[in-house]
Amino acid sequence: MSRLVVLGSSGQLGTMFLDLLQGRGEEFIAMDQADCDLSRPDHLMLPLRGARAVINCAAFTAVDAAEAEEDLAHKINAEAVGKLGALCRTAGIPLLHFSTDYVFDGTASTPYAIDHPRAPIGAYGRTKASGEDLLETSGAEYLLVRTSWVYAAWGQNFVRTMVKLLREKSEVRVVDDQRGRPTHVRTLAERSLALLDRGERGTFHVTDEGECTWYGLSLAIKEALGASCQVHPCTTAEFPRPARRPGYSVLDISKSESILGPAPHYLQRLRETVGVL
Ligand SMILES: NC(=O)c1ccc[n+]([C@@H]2O[C@H](COP(=O)([O-])OP(=O)(O)OC[C@H]3O[C@@H](n4cnc5c(N)ncnc54)[C@H](OP(=O)(O)O)[C@@H]3O)[C@@H](O)[C@H]2O)c1
């Protein structure tokens, strides 16, 4: 009974889990969207015989697209999560699931506590908040990990986009009125797995240490890259997008740090990542 079932195995986090588990010689089954489509929650089948846990890295993560496709996002981010919870409950194994800082409204000015009321301001956050709710009521033994501003040296993320822009453009403008905690997938995967393996259950926040705005993050990327491109701050209002985003979404990570020790600082992880891009 030692195999892990990893859903969303081709995404940023799923890829990191596969690398981590392979490196540790752990047995796992990787499932991508073709193997298991979460938009069809009524047809979900998982190979749970001999499994010790399910790790759900799959999600509808396109924040702007979710505004127009909320029904589809709800199926994947909410209904399917409730169904996964039910399957894990029946199998008697835990479900490790991931959620987002976007379940909060962004009006706070100190880090969001785990039990702060959820009040999403956009469709993506609404669907993820519903997923949390359905997981909590599924009867499953669950580990729910909220995180923020996730990036890797692969996949679609702000860091890779900014590296490309800084190399190609002479000037860029970046929003300076949204503040959060950038999180490398290695921090997220390693610390979530450590919590799972220690038998921790319930809700946790896991991010890298430190906080910044997207503008501040861009300056740090520029420095690590040694780029000459000019980076200018701008407001969210100057850079309209389909989805509203929380102005402040720093998560309080003290609970996970009290168990696992301090998280790495985001600047350390960022320099390592930019170094290989
Ligand atoms: N990215 C962030 O900044 C961020 C911030 C906070 C929380 N999170 C949460 O962290 C978790 C991991 O995110 P990530 O950054 O790794 O996301 P990601 O790179 O966008 O990966 C999401 C994965 O979900 C898969 N997927 C999409 N629709 C699916 C469906 N209908 N059925 C099955 N799989 C489907 C995707 O498959 P395809 O590759 O085939 O599309 C992809 O492999 C998610 O729960 C996300 O909500 C992410």
Side-chain angles (χ1 to χ4, degrees), residues 52-123:
R52 72 173 171 95
V54 173
I55 302 178
N56 180 29
C57 304
F60 186 113
T61 55
V63 174
D64 287 319
E67 295 296 318
E69 294 180 87
E70 188 163 353
D71 287 351
L72 176 61
H74 189 267
K75 283 196 170 82
I76 298 165
N77 292 346
E79 284 174 44
V81 177
K83 179 74 183 186
L84 290 175
L87 291 174
C88 287
R89 183 197 62 217
T90 304
I93 57 172
L95 172 60
L96 168 55
H97 175 69
F98 294 89
S99 191
T100 170
D101 51 336
Y102 282 21
V103 299
F104 298 123
D105 65 8
T107 58
S109 52
T110 55
Y112 276 98
I114 288 169
D115 60 357
H116 192 94
R118 295 184 284 244
I121 58 173

Side-chain angles (χ1 to χ4, degrees), residues 8 10-17 150-157 160 185:
S10 61
Q12 294 194 90
L13 181 59
T15 302
M16 183 74 247
F17 266 112
V150 175
Y151 70 96
W154 52 84
Q156 279 202 332
N157 59 68
R160 290 189 73 208
V185 277

Side-chain angles (χ1 to χ4, degrees), residues 59 106 114 119 127 138-139 148 158-159 161 182 186 189 205 211 231 252 254:
I114 288 169
T127 63
S138 68
S148 59
F158 179 87
V159 173
T161 302
R186 179 170 293 283
H205 289 169
E211 56 178 78
V231 183
D252 176 356
S254 55

